[in-house]
Amino acid sequence: MTIKQIESKLLKEKMVLKELQNGLKIFFMPKEGYTKQYAIFATNYGSNDSKFIVPGESEVTKVTDGIAHFLEHKLFEEAEGNIFDKFAELGSNVNAYTNFTSTCYLFSSTDRFYENLELLVKFVQSPYFTDENVEKEKGIIGQEIKMYDDNPNWKVFFNALKAMYHNHPVKIDIAGTIESISKITKEDLYKCYNTFYDPSNMIIFVIGDVDENKVFSIIEKNQKKEEKVEKKIERIYPDEPDTVVQNIIEEQLDVSIPLFNIAFKDTNNGLNGRALLDKDISTKILLDMLFGKSSDLYTSLYEEGLINDTFENEYTGEIDYGYSMLGGESKNPKKVLDKVLEYIENMKNKGLSREDFERIKKKHIGQHLSYYNSVEFVATTFVAYHFKNINIFDYIEALKNIKFETIQDRFKEHFNAKRCILSIISPKTFE
Amino acid sequence: MLNRLKTIKIGKKIKLHMIKTDKFKTNLVSVYFQRPLVKEEVTKNALLSMVLPRGTKSYISSKEISKALEGLYGAFIGCDVAKKGERNIIQFRMQLVNDKYVEDKEVFIKGMQILNEFIHDPYLVDGCFKKDYVDQEKENLIKKIEGRKNDKMKYSYERCIEEMCKNENYSLYEYGSIEDLKNISNESLYEHYKKIIHSTPIDICVVGDFDEKEMESLIAKKLNFKQEGVISVEREKIECIPDDVKIIEDEMDINQGKLNLGYRTNIPFESELYYPLLVYSNIFGGGPNSKLFKNVREKESLCYYIFSRVEKFKSLMLIGSGIEFNNYDKTVSLIKQQMEEMNSGNFSNEDIESAKNSIITSIRSMTDSPYMLADFYFSQAISNNEDTLDEMIKKIRTVDKEQIITAGKSIKLDTIYFLKGKGEVR
């Protein structure tokens, strides 16, 4: 049992970390004056963890696509029905999501917080899978998959991942396919649950105007496991070459105008903690300098009618993979790509502007501060960064200290036309 | 509640609503122009909301504006149109980081100057909007209107309303129509701008940490509103007993059918039955313990999402769900059957309590978001509702079973809309 106080003078915020005997880490962030309370119970287990060695076994386990997400759905089942009713009585909103690297269970409430918290802590630790309730879910998730199949933004994004990655499981849809989930059994679910839902692989983050001691004592009282297991889960990720699979991937859907994603694949992977945070921040600043609303490229593309206000950029930096992405709607995505690559070449010759850098840095500082208005944002972002060994309180300080030279180096290294792909969803042509 | 609300009149028809709270990192200023939702105007208003951000007197291009905003620690400014019942709202929003977190102590004042130029001092060439800007934004607006169909869930929901309210202004799309757009010129748009800038009722909501006296004089000084001949926007008509149920089908090349059922509630938001209606809709299709979720999703595995929503200002209730094409009949009859259950009073006191708690949680949650707070107080202003949040909560608490059943009796099915796959049989 250890307790640690963490404070950020820049943000004027603080949080407390308590680690339990069984390895569970609890973070509590007081938010004075807030009406809403928010808690998130997360496991470091997402759709990317499809190949692993269960601690104590020697064989490699390979699971079917979509199982982490399926498990998320099924954890809401209890022997006496599902947990929704109990949360509903309390009037809170309970939900969950699965992404590539984590599965998160959460609620937000404005009343009876401690009862909600107890419920959350208990249900995530009580799996109840039967042949019947597993079967029933296949139809529901089937409709969820179909819903995403009709979503052009989702498709354009996943096709981009497929074009970038040869082997890495990030190219596989989080929910799997109707075919892959049809094979799931309750035994598979228990196996994944027992492997990844161990307190030592999980965290709880609580934020709101509530009592710290009460938060800790409720969570501690409701632990099923007492002792920490000192065995590690071995996750197996395939070797991923630096190259991309294909430079262009195109699919037709029933849309009115083409949607596109342009992505640059990262190669210097394997960083975590502060090094990863610096890479994250410098890439995001760089993207705004090059492609943000005040950039020359944005202006010329916009004036030519090649992009509209949906044009955005983002960077995803995980420990074992990463990419920058630009995307939006365009009547001519290929022309946008040509202009982007041409512009990058020109900028490499011309050099980046220090003035732009200082201004965009200011923008990011203000933006980051404003994110702290939202308890949901803080909670979900905290979890995502924690699993990369980063505490989000360090973000603003790292941002303030980022150097222009770091940005210049990153620019030279990251934007390589060979590792660039274009994903297009174009309107269907009916014969 | 920590939020103090103070409303004062600062012009003939300009209300300033100040919501003071020190819990946010930002200050938000939202300015709402209220226009009637009419065919002659809706497309112009939408285009205007896209042209104004293109340039102002001091910042003649989007690039210049963006640079200025970035320099103000990423101040956000946005202009958009919305539909609240048969009111067409043009809204300007500016969010700025609070001075106390950054070195620059004039962020707010500088921001207000930009916001004022945005509204009152657009970039003009020869006494008119810059033609290139208008032409480009016309092109963008066409794409936006055509692009409606890309989001199938939202599209089917809006199409259901369109068919339902065919002969009412509420059917107008907030971004207007391509046909009307073709007839708008640079000059006619500028004429429209000059007309509405002075003749429109305005609400300004400010959310953040400030001194109210100072804020009042700052807003009055920095935002130069001059009003004359201000219009009044009429209350929409809402009573409607449909003769028979309209069944509308559209086709698209899609994987999943989108089903929407549109109901006339015949309950105006001023009515005592309005809160019982909210409770009704919540028990029916509010959350994961609602009747629709339990029966259509959990029991029958027919869908992943299913919801019920009340359109406050137009007194509609809509159900939306995504299903297999050939499950249309089954799903529609299940929904109707669940509605029967509701109307016969087959719901428990626990259901009522849960629904009330859920609505109250949503209401209370708004107080943690500057944007939602501003929108809430604006909605209150246009519905002439003086209730505080706490008073609303009290009223919801007192709703009883009988009122819920009474509310249910006046809900009438008007339109069933189904978006299905090409060549699919429902």
Side-chain angles (χ1 to χ4, degrees):
Chain A
M1 295 266 227
T2 51
I3 287 212
K4 192 172 148 202
Q5 307 281 343
I6 308 161
E7 192 176 349
S8 166
K9 289 204 166 54
L10 293 169
L11 296 166
K12 299 188 183 22
E13 301 279 2
K14 55 183 194 287
M15 68 169 80
V16 188
L17 156 64
K18 186 169 189 178
E19 187 170 342
L20 304 185
Q21 207 118 19
N22 62 11
L24 179 72
K25 290 192 177 83
I26 309 165
F27 295 86
F28 169 62
M29 184 169 158
K31 252 319 204 177
E32 218 176 297
Y34 266 66
T35 310
K36 220 184 321 190
Q37 307 97 19
Y38 194 94
I40 191 161
F41 196 168
T43 169
N44 188 357
Y45 167 54
S47 64
N48 287 348
D49 302 299
S50 56
K51 216 171 160 185
F52 51 91
I53 298 174
V54 177
E57 289 185 9
S58 54
E59 293 285 303
V60 174
T61 301
K62 170 81 181 81
V63 290
T64 186
D65 295 343
I67 198 159
H69 170 256
F70 203 102
L71 178 51
E72 174 231 300
H73 271 240
K74 286 331 293 169
L75 213 45
F76 285 85
E77 295 274 358
E78 304 289 300
E80 56 278 2
N82 72 35
I83 201 77
F84 291 129
D85 299 359
K86 294 204 176 102
F87 279 100
E89 274 169 46
L90 301 171
S92 52
N93 298 315
V94 62
N95 213 331
Y97 60 89
T98 307
N99 55 31
F100 298 112
T101 54
S102 65
T103 313
C104 302
Y105 301 84
L106 54 102
F107 71 83
S108 72
S109 63
T110 56
D111 194 16
R112 297 167 78 183
F113 167 76
Y114 304 105
E115 292 169 71
N116 279 297
L117 182 62
E118 185 168 331
L119 217 47
L120 174 76
V121 175
K122 279 184 173 166
F123 97 80
V124 174
Q125 294 180 86
S126 327
Y128 178 75
F129 312 135
T130 63
D131 292 336
E132 192 193 354
N133 75 25
V134 168
E135 216 39 50
K136 182 202 82 169
E137 208 65 26
K138 291 177 182 176
I140 298 170
I141 294 177
Q143 289 310 314
E144 187 175 6
I145 291 169
K146 286 197 165 188
M147 180 179 88
Y148 281 107
D149 282 343
D150 284 334
N151 182 332
N153 290 310
W154 186 255
K155 294 295 276 192
V156 75
F157 167 67
F158 257 93
N159 288 349
L161 294 174
K162 287 188 174 83
M164 259 189 292
Y165 293 95
H166 297 265
N167 309 318
H168 197 289
V170 69
K171 69 177 195 177
I172 293 158
D173 211 314
I174 295 165
T177 60
I178 292 183
E179 204 269 324
S180 77
I181 63 169
S182 69
K183 298 197 280 275
I184 293 176
T185 64
K186 69 171 190 292
E187 289 74 21
D188 298 334
L189 294 178
Y190 275 118
K191 188 168 199 172
C192 292
Y193 182 87
N194 292 329
T195 305
F196 291 102
Y197 284 66
D198 187 89
S200 60
N201 192 46
M202 300 177 82
I203 63 167
I204 296 182
F205 183 88
V206 174
I207 181 167
D209 195 348
V210 289
D211 181 90
E212 176 188 321
N213 295 328
K214 251 179 144 171
V215 167
F216 289 144
S217 81
I218 284 174
I219 297 172
E220 278 171 67
K221 260 206 285 261
N222 289 290
Q223 290 303 302
K224 278 196 169 170
K225 282 191 176 143
E226 284 185 13
E227 289 309 315
K228 191 168 176 172
V229 205
E230 288 302 346
K231 45 186 188 177
K232 276 192 75 81
I233 309 158
E234 208 173 317
R235 305 166 196 244
I236 299 161
Y237 301 122
D239 281 332
E240 176 64 36
D242 283 347
T243 57
V244 295
V245 179
Q246 59 199 94
N247 291 104
I248 292 194
I249 185 167
E250 193 163 356
E251 188 179 347
Q252 291 192 338
L253 281 181
D254 205 338
V255 293
S256 60
I257 176 179
L259 281 84
F260 72 96
N261 277 175
I262 293 170
F264 292 88
K265 185 176 173 178
D266 243 346
T267 53
N268 63 336
N269 298 311
L271 304 176
N272 73 51
R274 185 60 186 251
L276 181 57
L277 180 59
D278 283 344
K279 180 168 90 163
D280 188 84
I281 291 170
S282 54
T283 317
K284 283 175 178 163
I285 291 179
L286 191 52
L287 283 168
D288 260 349
M289 285 167 69
L290 294 167
F291 310 111
K293 284 198 167 161
S294 63
S295 68
D296 290 341
L297 181 73
Y298 187 100
T299 307
S300 72
L301 288 172
Y302 194 102
E303 302 258 335
E304 284 175 68
L306 283 166
I307 57 168
N308 56 25
D309 65 356
T310 60
F311 185 72
E312 282 176 344
N313 67 67
E314 61 173 32
Y315 175 67
T316 298
E318 296 295 338
I319 294 170
D320 51 328
Y321 66 94
Y323 51 83
S324 289
M325 212 171 246
L326 317 170
E329 296 167 356
S330 176
K331 57 188 183 200
N332 192 344
K334 288 182 177 138
K335 202 164 172 186
V336 175
L337 176 69
D338 291 343
K339 296 221 168 227
V340 164
L341 294 175
E342 188 189 341
Y343 169 77
I344 286 171
E345 277 317 300
N346 288 343
M347 288 304 283
K348 280 188 175 164
N349 298 328
K350 207 171 100 179
L352 297 167
S353 133
R354 190 180 284 271
E355 187 197 332
D356 286 349
F357 163 73
E358 295 296 347
R359 199 185 60 248
I360 297 292
K361 191 163 137 178
K362 260 190 176 176
K363 173 192 164 180
H364 282 242
I365 290 168
Q367 231 172 14
H368 188 76
L369 279 161
S370 70
Y371 292 152
Y372 281 81
N373 280 352
S374 159
V375 292
E376 289 90 342
F377 183 88
V378 174
T380 51
T381 311
F382 179 89
V383 170
Y385 278 94
H386 172 82
F387 291 141
K388 306 180 209 181
N389 298 316
I390 297 166
N391 183 307
I392 45 163
F393 274 14
D394 296 335
Y395 195 102
I396 190 128
E397 182 258 333
L399 179 54
K400 281 205 155 164
N401 290 318
I402 208 92
K403 299 264 180 304
F404 183 51
E405 292 68 32
T406 312
I407 308 272
Q408 288 173 308
D409 294 345
R410 178 67 173 149
F411 179 44
K412 287 190 197 101
E413 173 261 326
H414 181 56
F415 291 99
N416 179 328
K418 283 201 191 72
R419 295 195 302 269
C420 171
I421 64 99
L422 169 65
S423 166
I424 306 171
I425 296 290
S426 47
K428 276 214 154 109
T429 41
F430 298 105
E431 303 304 318
Chain B
M1 297 278 170
L2 267 182
N3 315 301
R4 235 186 27 225
L5 169 72
K6 195 172 164 194
T7 299
I8 42 173
K9 278 182 76 166
I10 55 170
K12 261 179 243 162
K13 281 204 179 176
I14 305 177
K15 283 196 204 123
L16 171 64
H17 313 273
M18 291 183 282
I19 301 123
K20 183 176 158 64
T21 168
D22 64 355
K23 66 184 176 185
F24 300 125
K25 307 273 183 216
T26 55
N27 289 320
L28 169 75
V29 180
S30 283
V31 181
Y32 303 90
F33 284 66
Q34 261 185 80
R35 302 295 305 172
L37 180 69
V38 288
K39 191 165 167 38
E40 303 74 68
E41 253 190 49
V42 65
T43 311
K44 285 181 189 161
N45 290 337
L47 184 58
L48 196 55
S49 78
M50 293 163 82
V51 170
L52 291 177
R54 290 300 305 273
T56 73
K57 199 162 124 189
S58 322
Y59 308 97
I60 62 168
S61 67
S62 306
K63 187 179 172 171
E64 296 302 315
I65 295 174
S66 298
K67 276 190 173 172
L69 295 172
E70 285 161 357
L72 287 178
Y73 292 90
F76 165 81
I77 198 163
C79 180
D80 203 357
V81 283
K83 201 160 96 166
K84 276 189 188 283
E86 282 164 10
R87 287 163 210 264
N88 190 191
I89 312 299
I90 308 171
Q91 51 192 14
F92 299 85
R93 296 180 148 167
M94 183 154 206
Q95 183 167 266
L96 303 126
V97 74
N98 191 305
D99 300 355
K100 64 184 164 190
Y101 292 97
V102 291
E103 283 106 34
D104 187 346
K105 299 300 168 200
E106 290 196 326
V107 170
F108 190 79
I109 293 186
K110 291 175 186 163
M112 284 308 99
Q113 268 156 345
I114 299 178
L115 179 63
N116 184 54
E117 283 205 6
F118 235 72
I119 301 170
H120 295 113
D121 266 324
Y123 178 55
L124 302 178
V125 177
D126 304 330
C128 200
F129 291 130
K130 187 177 173 183
K131 191 170 178 318
D132 283 357
Y133 288 176
V134 174
D135 290 347
Q136 283 161 14
E137 293 312 323
K138 274 174 85 168
E139 213 39 54
N140 285 336
L141 186 50
I142 290 174
K143 296 278 182 297
K144 198 183 224 146
I145 296 167
E146 286 173 345
R148 279 179 85 182
K149 66 182 248 189
N150 296 1
D151 182 343
K152 318 293 182 229
M153 200 191 297
K154 196 163 171 257
Y155 175 78
S156 64
Y157 185 89
E158 288 171 354
R159 281 282 297 121
C160 183
I161 289 177
E162 220 163 71
E163 291 290 341
M164 226 173 142
C165 305
K166 226 184 189 126
N167 306 318
E168 298 156 81
N169 284 336
Y170 194 62
S171 64
L172 293 167
Y173 180 46
E174 64 254 50
Y175 290 104
S177 75
I178 293 174
E179 205 177 292
D180 293 339
L181 189 59
K182 288 189 178 127
N183 304 322
I184 301 174
S185 68
N186 184 12
E187 290 76 18
S188 66
L189 185 69
Y190 188 60
E191 280 310 306
H192 178 68
Y193 165 77
K194 283 197 299 198
K195 184 180 99 183
I196 70 166
I197 205 72
H198 300 305
S199 67
T200 304
I202 296 167
D203 285 86
I204 306 167
C205 291
V206 188
V207 184
D209 193 10
F210 45 80
D211 177 276
E212 283 145 320
K213 273 268 162 290
E214 270 175 40
M215 180 59 75
E216 188 185 334
S217 69
L218 190 81
I219 293 281
K221 220 176 8 220
K222 290 284 172 207
L223 303 179
N224 311 321
F225 291 107
K226 301 177 193 61
Q227 289 192 306
E228 50 188 293
V230 183
I231 58 158
S232 298
V233 186
E234 275 173 46
R235 170 81 166 94
E236 49 281 285
K237 289 191 179 52
I238 61 119
E239 283 77 24
C240 175
I241 307 293
D243 302 333
D244 54 345
V245 178
K246 276 187 277 195
I247 296 179
I248 309 287
E249 261 186 30
D250 279 346
E251 278 195 358
M252 260 195 221
D253 202 334
I254 46 176
N255 295 287
Q256 182 184 57
K258 302 286 187 223
L259 174 68
N260 291 86
L261 282 77
Y263 299 84
R264 304 275 183 173
T265 70
N266 293 298
I267 297 170
F269 58 74
E270 300 91 338
S271 160
E272 302 226 313
L273 285 174
Y274 179 69
Y275 290 127
L277 170 69
L278 289 186
V279 176
Y280 180 102
S281 172
N282 194 287
I283 297 172
F284 189 42
N289 72 316
S290 66
K291 286 201 176 287
L292 292 178
F293 192 93
K294 273 185 175 156
N295 289 288
V296 184
R297 172 175 146 148
E298 295 295 308
K299 251 198 203 126
E300 301 288 340
S301 305
L302 287 168
C303 64
Y304 166 65
Y305 75 89
I306 185 156
F307 63 83
S308 164
R309 250 188 81 170
V310 172
E311 293 284 341
K312 174 179 172 179
F313 294 95
K314 189 63 188 171
S315 300
L316 309 178
M317 186 173 87
L318 277 106
I319 310 296
S321 182
I323 56 170
E324 289 290 329
F325 306 121
N326 57 6
N327 281 334
Y328 171 90
D329 287 332
K330 196 174 172 183
T331 312
V332 170
S333 74
L334 258 180
I335 293 170
K336 285 180 176 169
Q337 182 202 327
Q338 286 309 311
M339 194 139 186
E340 284 297 308
E341 294 281 310
M342 289 294 305
N343 294 350
S344 341
N346 288 334
F347 50 94
S348 66
N349 286 335
E350 285 78 36
D351 292 337
I352 299 173
E353 271 320 290
S354 295
K356 285 182 188 177
N357 288 341
S358 150
I359 296 165
I360 290 166
T361 299
S362 312
I363 292 174
R364 289 170 47 100
S365 294
M366 290 191 304
T367 63
D368 286 348
S369 156
Y371 289 98
M372 284 185 179
L373 268 176
D375 275 350
F376 169 77
Y377 285 113
F378 172 62
S379 277
Q380 292 291 88
I382 54 175
S383 47
N384 293 321
N385 189 331
E386 305 267 304
D387 284 354
T388 63
L389 285 164
D390 287 339
E391 284 160 345
M392 277 174 83
I393 291 170
K394 265 201 201 92
K395 285 183 179 170
I396 290 163
R397 282 270 171 242
T398 59
V399 168
D400 62 29
K401 188 164 181 170
E402 206 167 314
Q403 290 173 305
I404 299 169
I405 296 170
T406 311
K409 286 203 173 94
S410 61
I411 303 174
K412 301 285 179 245
L413 181 59
D414 181 303
T415 299
I416 301 178
Y417 175 85
F418 193 49
L419 181 60
K420 64 182 183 61
K422 283 214 188 294
E424 293 283 346
V425 184
R426 44 161 231 250

